[in-house]
């Protein structure tokens, strides 16, 4: 069913049980969970699935080592269990990754090691591997590019990593297969009372038409933009204090090996990651309060300087601005406003669900690792508030996502390729252009598949999220744009918005920062 046919079917539906506004991790999780429980569901995303924060994570599925230090054992335990669940239902997109925490003082290995042993204990059967104390030689072997000066040893522990945007697309398609109507580039412009439910007005960003949908229950899952949606529905509020995290991508050779590096305390007390991902190396991240809600936020100069300076201290080879392949920024929807002058460090990373007097259900906060548990909490609140009839859940913990193989043989940190499609790879290889490489492993057949089956409507949809070219190498993505636009035209896309994407690549390139 193409987009026009889906809009026609939408108009033919008298009333949906649930309308979800927002196509990030949380909204997609709610749509899938509700569909698996047998509810009629429609989801609307104003831009693209995972077009905001949900495609700009540090690519880690983690239990929250920092939360353990804060004593939040319950949050850590939940996240560790959910980490395993995601790896089970999408093993081609989410996998274990070993981390090494270098030690430069005699006390650091036992100090951090004991804490990470507790992390193992809390994980129990959900653990991915044992924490180990490493001597200097084994640390240098695990991290070939680490700065050897003053190195005494290290601690190795295990967490998870994933491809956030492709996991989001898999969630959207799995929800669709379960019966949900999933629309990207469809903006909700109004939510009004309608009997015991709501009337939702949606504008198709492609064709410009407006559609009205009746729903028994509406969930606002728009991330850092939840306040604006609540206000549009008649409830002015301030639930979110945004914080931005900056990530810098450089070539893999800066670290080498198959381990991630974690510096638990930089000179100013922050944390630094160096994470191998899709053939490149991600350096980050920051945690800086931000007042505006830009769709494409830019890093502050001091954030970029922090990442480059601290990475140069941690690695044997200095990282220069000219080495940067891409820079991206994610806005975190932190819950509550700071009251003690501590910036964003005191804000909650946990999610919050609010049911307004008008019946609108809003969820914000949280993190990718716990998206599924968050979705269950949202639906329970819908039941408790009488917005939906209660139905048993738990199906999403075992329902494998579209394309999920029994196991994965290629790690996420390897260069992108056919393996990212799991069991669908063979099907895509039968499409025209399977042998035509457009760059960074992207084949013309993959672009056709993105349009036909993955809801891609623009060059950005393809090169930012269906394939992560923009996040891996902005200059290379710019060179690939024209070929991708031509294929989109061949597949019936009237305006692939190539000029918009070319402007975006320059924002992701270090030269524009």
């Amino acid at each position: 069913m193409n987009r026009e046919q889906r809009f026609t079917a939408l108009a033919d539906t008298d009333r949906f049980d649930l309308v979800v506004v927002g196509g990030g991790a949380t909204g997609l999780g709610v749509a899938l969970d509700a569909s698996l429980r047998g509810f009629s569901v429609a989801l609307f995303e104003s831009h693209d699935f995972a077009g905001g924060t949900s495609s700009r994570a540090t690519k880690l599925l983690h239990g929250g080592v920092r939360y353990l230090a804060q004593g939040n054992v319950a949050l850590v335990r939940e996240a560790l269990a959910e980490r395993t669940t995601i790896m089970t239902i999408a093993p081609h997109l989410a996998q274990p990754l070993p981390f090494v925490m270098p030690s430069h003082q005699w006390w650091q290995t036992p100090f951090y090691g004991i804490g990470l042993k507790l992390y193992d204990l809390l994980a129990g059967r959900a653990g991915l591997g044992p924490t180990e104390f490493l001597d200097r030689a084994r640390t240098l072997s695990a991290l070939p590019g680490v700065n050897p000066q003053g190195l005494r040893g290290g601690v190795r522990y295990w967490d998870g990593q994933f491809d956030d945007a492709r996991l989001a697309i898999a969630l959207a398609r799995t929800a669709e297969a379960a019966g949900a109507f999933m629309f990207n580039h469809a903006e909700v412009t109004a939510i009004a009372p309608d009997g015991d439910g709501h009337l939702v007005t949606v504008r198709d960003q492609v064709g410009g038409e407006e559609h009205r949908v009746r729903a028994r229950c509406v969930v606002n899952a728009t991330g850092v933009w939840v306040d604006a949606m609540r206000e549009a529905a008649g409830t002015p509020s301030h639930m979110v204090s945004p914080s931005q995290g900056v990530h810098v991508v450089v070539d893999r050779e800066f670290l080498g090996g198959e381990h991630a590096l974690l510096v638990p305390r930089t000179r100013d007390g922050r944390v630094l990651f160096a994470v191998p991902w899709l053939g490149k190396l991600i350096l980050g991240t920051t945690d800086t309060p931000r007042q505006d809600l830009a769709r494409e936020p830019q890093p502050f100069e001091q954030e970029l300087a922090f990442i480059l300076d601290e990475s140069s201290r941690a690695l044997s080879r200095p990282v220069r601005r000219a080495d940067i392949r891409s820079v991206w920024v994610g806005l975190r929807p932190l819950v509550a406003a700071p009251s003690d002058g501590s910036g964003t460090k005191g804000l909650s990373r946990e999610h919050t669900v609010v049911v307004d007097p008008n019946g609108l259900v809003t969820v914000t906060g949280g993190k990718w690792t716990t998206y599924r548990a968050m979705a269950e909490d949202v639906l329970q609140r819908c039941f408790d508030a009488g917005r939906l009839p209660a139905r048993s859940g738990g199906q999403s913990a075992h329902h494998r996502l579209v394309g999920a193989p029994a196991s994965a043989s290629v790690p996420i940190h390897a260069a992108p390729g056919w393996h990212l499609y799991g069991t669908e790879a063979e099907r895509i290889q039968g499409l025209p252009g399977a042998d035509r490489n457009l760059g960074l492993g992207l084949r013309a057949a993959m672009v056709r598949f993105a349009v036909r089956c993955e809801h891609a409507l623009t060059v950005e949809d393809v090169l930012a999220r269906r394939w992560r070219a923009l996040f891996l190498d902005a200059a290379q993505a710019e060179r690939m744009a024209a070929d991708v636009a031509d294929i989109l035209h061949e597949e019936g896309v009237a305006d692939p918005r190539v000029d918009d994407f070319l402007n975006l690549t320059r924002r992701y390139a270090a030269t524009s920062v």
Side-chain angles (χ1 to χ4, degrees):
M1 187 184 299
N2 62 30
R3 185 179 178 87
E4 183 178 348
Q5 291 170 331
R6 285 186 287 118
F7 269 119
T8 299
L10 188 76
D12 292 339
T13 303
D14 179 59
R15 184 170 77 160
F16 285 89
D17 293 321
L18 178 66
V19 162
V20 180
V21 186
T26 307
L28 294 169
V30 171
L32 176 56
D33 193 330
S35 298
L36 292 176
R37 299 192 200 209
F39 291 110
S40 57
V41 177
L43 179 146
F44 303 103
E45 161 57 46
S46 61
H47 290 73
D48 188 22
F49 302 126
T53 304
S54 293
S55 63
R56 307 170 200 218
T58 312
K59 319 308 178 192
L60 302 180
L61 288 172
H62 61 93
V65 174
R66 285 182 293 174
Y67 305 148
L68 183 61
Q70 297 167 6
N72 199 333
V73 173
L75 180 61
V76 174
R77 193 185 297 274
E78 177 187 63
L80 288 169
E82 291 300 317
R83 180 186 68 180
T84 299
T85 296
I86 297 173
M87 292 182 185
T88 301
I89 63 176
H92 58 313
L93 300 174
Q95 299 162 8
L97 179 70
F99 285 72
V100 172
M101 194 181 296
S103 301
H104 294 86
Q105 303 292 332
W106 67 267
W107 54 268
Q108 289 178 320
T109 296
F111 177 78
Y112 292 117
I114 291 171
L116 289 167
K117 287 287 188 181
L118 178 58
Y119 195 55
D120 292 350
L121 185 64
L122 288 174
R125 297 176 64 181
L128 304 176
T131 293
E132 302 173 79
F133 293 1
L134 307 181
D135 59 19
R136 187 176 190 276
R138 293 181 68 195
T139 301
L140 288 170
S141 176
L143 300 173
V146 75
N147 186 351
Q149 184 175 357
L151 183 69
R152 289 174 173 263
V155 181
R156 174 164 51 204
Y157 74 100
W158 291 80
D159 240 322
Q161 77 168 165
F162 71 131
D163 185 335
D164 47 8
R166 287 212 58 81
L167 183 63
I169 301 303
L171 284 170
R173 295 180 60 215
T174 306
E176 189 171 51
F181 285 80
M182 308 296 288
F183 292 91
N184 58 347
H185 299 284
E187 181 183 9
V188 170
T189 58
I191 301 174
D194 180 57
D196 60 348
H198 289 91
L199 182 66
V200 180
T201 303
V202 182
R203 179 186 296 115
D204 179 7
Q205 302 284 59
V206 177
E209 301 88 357
E210 280 198 345
H211 304 266
R212 288 176 173 79
V213 180
R214 298 176 65 236
R216 176 181 294 179
C217 180
V218 176
V219 169
N220 172 18
T222 52
V224 293
W225 295 278
V226 292
D227 288 335
M229 188 57 61
R230 291 184 80 203
E231 185 170 356
T235 308
S237 70
H238 180 69
M239 288 181 62
V240 171
S241 292
S243 165
Q244 75 174 25
V246 176
H247 305 82
V248 168
V249 175
V250 297
D251 289 335
R252 183 74 169 270
E253 289 72 24
F254 275 91
L255 183 61
E258 299 184 349
H259 290 67
L261 165 69
L262 169 60
V263 178
R265 189 174 181 84
T266 60
R267 284 177 294 179
D268 61 357
R270 287 186 274 183
V271 174
L272 178 75
F273 289 100
V275 181
W277 184 71
L278 295 181
K280 298 291 185 180
L281 186 70
I282 299 174
L283 306 173
T285 180
T286 60
D287 192 1
T288 308
R290 183 151 192 157
Q291 300 306 313
D292 64 320
L293 296 175
R295 175 58 60 173
E296 288 292 343
Q298 291 289 282
F300 298 121
E301 182 61 38
Q302 62 269 27
E303 292 178 300
L304 197 59
F306 161 75
I307 293 174
L308 295 178
D309 291 347
E310 292 298 336
S311 297
S312 296
R313 284 169 54 85
L315 302 175
S316 58
R317 175 182 165 190
V319 184
R320 310 300 185 195
R321 189 180 292 252
D323 297 316
I324 298 175
R325 301 301 182 203
S326 184
V327 178
W328 78 82
V329 181
L331 295 180
R332 305 182 186 98
L334 304 187
V335 180
S339 58
D340 58 1
S342 61
T344 63
K345 294 180 180 179
L347 302 189
S348 174
R349 262 69 175 176
E350 295 182 74
H351 64 277
T352 293
V353 185
V354 174
V355 182
D356 290 330
N358 61 15
L360 180 69
V361 180
T362 295
V363 56
T364 193
K367 58 184 178 181
W368 249 116
T369 312
T370 54
Y371 84 87
R372 197 198 64 81
M374 291 167 61
E376 289 189 335
D377 286 351
V378 170
L379 289 176
Q380 187 59 53
R381 289 298 299 274
C382 295
F383 301 155
D384 293 343
R387 308 306 302 177
L388 289 174
R391 293 180 184 175
S392 60
Q395 298 92 329
S396 62
H398 311 287
H399 192 88
R400 297 172 71 80
L401 302 188
V402 168
S407 61
S409 58
V410 181
I412 294 293
H413 58 70
W418 291 107
H419 57 279
L420 294 172
Y421 293 95
T423 61
E424 294 189 301
E426 185 174 351
R427 170 189 175 189
I428 304 168
Q429 288 166 355
L431 298 178
D435 295 329
R436 182 186 171 197
N437 191 340
L438 305 179
L440 292 174
L442 178 66
R443 308 301 178 99
M446 296 172 178
V447 180
R448 299 187 191 281
F449 184 76
V451 178
R452 298 179 189 183
C453 301
E454 296 182 329
H455 299 270
L457 294 170
T458 69
V459 172
E460 181 190 338
D461 291 351
V462 175
L463 290 178
R465 288 170 291 277
R466 308 315 182 276
W467 207 250
R468 310 311 305 277
L470 179 65
F471 287 75
L472 296 173
D473 190 326
Q476 178 65 19
E478 182 179 11
R479 292 190 289 270
M480 297 163 65
D483 286 338
V484 170
D486 288 343
I487 298 170
L488 290 175
H489 278 303
E490 292 173 9
E491 291 294 320
V493 176
D495 181 11
R497 297 172 60 181
V498 64
D499 289 339
D500 290 345
F501 181 73
L502 293 177
N503 290 332
L504 189 61
T505 61
R506 291 155 198 150
R507 294 170 68 91
Y508 277 62
T511 54
S512 67
V513 178

